[in-house]
Amino acid sequence: MSKRALFDEVIANAAAEQGESTSAAEGPAQSRARKPMNFATRRLDNFEEAAKMLKKPAISLKPDEVSIWPGNARDYSALSEDRVRTLIDSLVAENGNRIPVIVRPTPNGEKRYELITGTRRHWAIAWLNANNHPEISLYASIEDLTDEAAFRVADIENREREDISDYERATNYREALKSHYEGVQRRMAERLKLSPGTLSRYIALAEMPQTIVSAFGSPRDLTLHFAKPLLPLIDDQEKRQRMEDAARSIAEEQSLKQSFDEAIIPANEVVTRLLAAANNKQARARRQKQSLLTQSGREFGVVERDRASELMIKIVPSESSIDELMESLRAAIERSRIWAKGKA
C-alpha cells in the first residue's frame, strides 16, 4: 500500500472513530493526475484529499500558538538553523509553507493547538518570525485525532524523511508500542502496515544499552545497519559486559575529540572495536585503573593501564600547581615503564 493510501486510511479511520461522516473523497485535480507527480505534489494531494474528506479548512497560525506533540519521532530540540537551512530559504521564497502541517485542538492545554506533523516547518517559521520575518505564518490543517491515529499520521509522514535517524524512529516506535498497542508488536505492525520483522528490528535497536549507544559520536550514527552485528551479542552477559567496558572507553575518546574539535570516531570503527572487545575474553583483565595523586595526596585524575601497549590518563580540574601535576605524571609514567619500550 502506498504512503498516500496509508495517509488517507488513517484520516478516514480517525474520522469514523470520532463519529464523523466519511463520504468518499474526491480525487486530485485532473490536471495534476494527468502528469507525473513529484514528492511535494503527492504530499499536497494527501492533505487536500484529507481536508475534503473531513471538511476541515486549513488556517494560518503563529508558531507560539502551537505546542509540539511528544509522540512524534523527530527530536525538536536537535533542530538548528544549519539542519533546516534549505527549508528556511524555501519558506522565504514562497512566503510560508505550501504544504500544511497537521494540528489538533487542545481545549485543556496551555496552547490552542498541538502539532502532529510538520516539526521542521514549525521550527523554521518560528526561527523566521524571530529573525526579521514576522509576516510568515504557519499554514495548518486542524484534525480531530486520537493519540493512536496521530501517531500513525506522523509515522507516515516521517517515512518520507531521510533526516530522521533510525535510532529516533526506533525509540519512537518503542514508546508507541507501550502507549498505543499494549506491547503487542504484531498488532502495531498491522496498524502501521510494516512487516513484523522490520518493526522487531527497530524495537531491538531502541533497547540497545545506553552505555553502548554513548560510544557513537551521536545516537543518529547508530543505524539498523551498524546495530545488526551488535544486537545478537547483547543477550550474552559476558560479551555484553566486555562491549560496555569498551564502549565507556570509546565514549571518553569521543568526548575528548569533540572538546578539541577533532573528527569523531566513525560508526564503522566503533562497531569494529565493540565486536573485537566482545570476542576478546582477556579484554576486561588487561585494563587496570588507578587514581592519580599529587605528592600532597590530592587526587587529580585517573590512569588506565593496558599492559600490552598503552597508558591512558584522564585529568580532572585541580587546585594543584602545574609543576606539582607534572611531577606526579612523570612518576606515573615511570612506574608504567611504557617509556622504556621506545628505547628497547
Side-chain angles (χ1 to χ4, degrees):
M1 183 179 290
S2 68
K3 293 182 178 67
R4 175 179 174 180
L6 277 171
F7 183 90
D8 290 345
E9 180 183 336
V10 171
I11 297 297
N13 288 345
E17 290 167 4
Q18 296 293 332
E20 298 179 13
S21 62
T22 54
S23 58
E26 297 178 27
Q30 294 302 315
S31 60
R32 203 179 294 150
R34 283 195 295 268
K35 57 185 179 181
M37 294 187 293
N38 60 25
F39 165 69
T41 305
R42 288 199 309 272
R43 291 186 58 227
L44 184 61
D45 280 340
N46 287 340
F47 286 100
E48 286 179 347
E49 292 180 15
K52 291 175 184 176
M53 186 182 300
L54 298 180
K55 298 181 174 61
K56 295 290 181 65
I59 63 171
S60 292
L61 299 169
K62 285 299 180 182
D64 59 9
E65 296 181 85
V66 184
S67 61
I68 307 300
W69 182 54
N72 197 296
R74 189 183 295 281
D75 183 357
Y76 191 90
S77 64
L79 294 176
S80 65
E81 180 185 354
D82 288 341
R83 286 188 62 186
V84 297
R85 185 70 254 177
T86 301
L87 176 59
I88 288 172
D89 293 341
S90 173
L91 292 170
V92 171
E94 297 189 9
N95 196 36
N97 54 306
R98 180 167 174 255
I99 299 171
V101 302
I102 292 181
V103 300
R104 65 179 179 180
T106 52
N108 300 318
E110 293 183 4
K111 298 188 176 181
R112 294 173 60 194
Y113 301 102
E114 188 173 51
L115 187 81
I116 305 302
T117 70
T119 311
R120 292 173 74 251
R121 281 163 280 169
H122 180 281
W123 193 99
I125 291 175
W127 185 92
L128 284 168
N129 285 177
N131 289 272
N132 304 318
H133 288 280
E135 75 284 359
I136 297 181
S137 296
L138 187 68
Y139 185 49
S141 176
I142 305 173
E143 312 292 357
D144 291 322
L145 299 169
T146 64
D147 284 347
E148 193 268 345
F151 166 71
R152 286 188 287 139
V153 168
D155 178 61
I156 291 166
E157 180 178 85
N158 287 338
R159 289 187 216 177
E160 300 275 14
R161 299 297 188 185
E162 294 181 357
D163 64 330
I164 293 183
S165 70
D166 286 350
Y167 191 73
E168 284 177 305
R169 183 169 285 113
T171 54
N172 182 238
Y173 281 176
R174 179 186 60 189
E175 295 308 309
L177 180 65
K178 293 185 293 186
S179 301
H180 310 313
Y181 305 103
E182 299 177 340
V184 181
Q185 288 192 32
R186 183 165 294 278
R187 179 186 171 203
M188 180 174 172
E190 290 173 353
R191 293 289 279 174
L192 297 184
K193 302 298 188 293
L194 280 177
S195 73
T198 297
L199 178 59
S200 179
R201 285 190 290 274
Y202 274 114
I203 299 301
L205 175 59
E207 299 295 339
M208 182 77 75
Q210 279 300 308
T211 308
I212 294 177
V213 175
S214 67
F216 292 82
S218 164
R220 296 174 61 82
D221 296 337
L222 181 53
T223 64
L224 287 173
H225 169 73
F226 287 125
K228 184 177 180 179
L230 301 177
L231 290 173
L233 305 177
I234 300 299
D235 293 332
D236 186 314
Q237 191 59 41
E238 290 187 6
K239 291 184 176 181
R240 171 175 173 164
Q241 188 61 62
R242 290 196 291 269
M243 281 201 299
E244 290 194 271
D245 288 345
R248 291 186 184 93
S249 178
I250 297 170
E252 289 180 1
E253 291 181 53
Q254 299 280 33
S255 179
L256 284 172
K257 287 180 177 294
Q258 290 173 348
S259 65
F260 287 103
D261 293 326
E262 297 180 4
I264 62 172
I265 303 169
N268 61 333
E269 183 177 335
V270 171
V271 172
T272 298
R273 290 174 60 174
L274 292 175
L275 292 175
N279 294 308
N280 182 3
K281 294 183 179 180
Q282 303 299 320
R284 295 194 70 197
R286 291 170 59 197
R287 292 286 183 181
Q288 294 182 344
K289 290 186 178 182
Q290 185 176 358
S291 295
L292 282 172
L293 302 175
T294 64
Q295 291 182 349
S296 60
R298 291 177 178 172
E299 183 174 348
F300 68 94
V302 176
V303 58
E304 183 176 341
R305 181 179 179 182
D306 183 330
R307 291 178 181 172
S309 62
E310 66 182 35
L311 194 71
M312 183 179 294
I313 296 173
K314 182 177 181 180
I315 299 176
V316 298
S318 171
E319 296 180 359
S320 301
S321 68
I322 293 178
D323 289 341
E324 191 176 7
L325 296 181
M326 293 301 295
E327 186 62 31
S328 298
L329 281 174
R330 179 184 178 85
I333 294 171
E334 287 178 343
R335 285 195 300 271
S336 72
R337 292 193 175 276
I338 284 180
W339 62 274
K341 291 185 178 182
K343 297 180 180 181

